Amino acid sequence: MIKDNYTRIKEKIGDAATLIAVTKYHTAEQAVEAYEAGVRHFGENRPEGFLEKKKALPEDAIVHFIGTLQSRKVKQIIDDMHYLHSLDRESVAKKIEQYSEHTVKCFIQVNVSGEDSKHGLTPEEVPEFLERLSKYKKVEVIGLMTMAPNTDDRSLISDVFRKLSELKDELAENNHDNIQIKELSMGMSNDYDVALEYGATFVRVGSKIMGSR
Ligand SMILES: *Cc1c(COP(=O)(O)O)cnc(C)c1O
């Protein structure tokens, strides 16, 4: 089941993007099953789940932190965290700088749709935030992340992904060693196909790979 799902989506994506299987609603055993089906990139949104999956999976599995991270939780997971998709606060960058022994690849989370329920910076806030991040050398900013509204209206979803892609292009010229805005983390089970049309390079797919919770 997981294997069929993963193989089908992986084929659709080809080399265009890294496919992250989001295992946040599933057990460590199911994550191991996904590993055996070929998954190497996993997504978790809570420190507990992150550590549990990291421990259960073989060494070469990469677990991405895709949820909101409180700065006081950074220390707990930093040794195993190589990708953070939700950076939107300087306090988190400060803790990474303080506790990490390696650089952490970070996406800036942008609330493109402007919904109250969503985390992230407004597009207008991003340039100034990048300036502030330039002094945290263990924070390696590689791109932008967003979540589209939960809707069947494909044109609304397209708007959000197009705007993130345009913002990436605007920010591409950057004069800091630790900031290179090249990657786009966008697209989930219901909209990863749209995200790919707009240049997603990391897609985060949960239920369509792992099954509904
Ligand atoms: C849960 C989650 C996903 C995956 O959601 P699905 O709809 O199950 O594919 C992707 N990104 C983030 C940030 C999530 O929290």
Side-chain angles (χ1 to χ4, degrees):
M1 175 71 171
I2 292 176
K3 191 176 173 77
D4 291 346
N5 292 342
Y6 177 69
T7 308
R8 195 184 61 247
I9 295 176
K10 185 87 179 149
E11 265 169 23
K12 269 202 207 167
I13 293 174
D15 294 331
T18 299
L19 175 55
I20 300 169
V22 178
T23 47
K24 66 187 184 194
Y25 294 135
H26 293 81
T27 63
E29 288 71 29
Q30 288 168 307
V32 170
E33 188 186 336
Y35 181 92
E36 283 161 1
V39 174
R40 289 298 175 271
H41 291 267
F42 296 80
E44 284 287 328
N45 67 344
R46 291 172 57 246
E48 298 72 23
F50 177 92
L51 291 171
E52 188 203 9
K53 303 303 186 336
K54 187 65 203 171
K55 200 167 150 210
L57 288 163
E59 191 71 18
D60 65 341
I62 297 169
V63 188
H64 296 246
F65 199 90
I66 61 170
T68 301
L69 180 58
Q70 291 172 305
S71 54
R72 63 188 169 84
K73 302 274 183 162
V74 170
K75 191 179 176 190
Q76 204 181 326
I77 61 172
I78 197 65
D79 286 348
D80 293 316
M81 192 177 69
H82 292 270
Y83 286 89
L84 173 63
H85 289 246
S86 58
L87 186 60
D88 64 0
R89 268 164 303 145
E90 191 174 355
S91 56
V92 170
K94 209 173 265 179
K95 294 290 180 190
I96 290 173
E97 194 70 14
Q98 187 177 354
Y99 293 118
S100 188
E101 292 184 349
H102 54 265
T103 60
V104 179
K105 293 179 164 57
C106 296
F107 293 86
I108 308 300
Q109 185 167 355
V110 188
N111 184 355
V112 178
S113 65
E115 293 165 278
D116 286 345
S117 60
K118 291 204 163 37
H119 289 271
L121 301 171
T122 66
E124 295 73 26
E125 287 168 332
V126 176
E128 196 256 339
F129 186 54
L130 293 177
E131 284 302 314
R132 283 190 279 136
L133 290 181
S134 63
K135 65 171 178 282
Y136 302 104
K137 300 302 177 199
K138 285 176 185 155
V139 173
E140 182 190 350
V141 181
I142 62 167
L144 306 175
M145 177 274 212
T146 200
M147 290 168 84
N150 185 7
T151 171
D152 291 331
D153 185 340
R154 309 296 269 186
S155 71
L156 273 181
I157 295 171
S158 298
D159 273 354
V160 166
F161 292 154
R162 182 187 322 100
K163 281 182 187 153
L164 195 72
S165 172
E166 288 168 359
L167 184 61
K168 181 200 70 153
D169 293 342
E170 284 166 30
L171 298 169
E173 296 290 314
N174 211 289
N175 297 321
H176 302 293
D177 293 344
N178 64 325
I179 298 172
Q180 306 274 340
I181 307 284
K182 293 196 174 118
E183 312 290 346
L184 289 172
S185 169
M186 57 189 198
M188 316 196 334
S189 290
N190 289 330
D191 54 24
Y192 74 88
D193 52 333
V194 185
L196 289 168
E197 285 176 34
Y198 290 94
T201 56
F202 286 79
V203 296
R204 313 174 309 266
V205 180
S207 49
K208 283 239 169 102
I209 294 176
M210 302 301 297
S212 48
R213 61 167 137 168

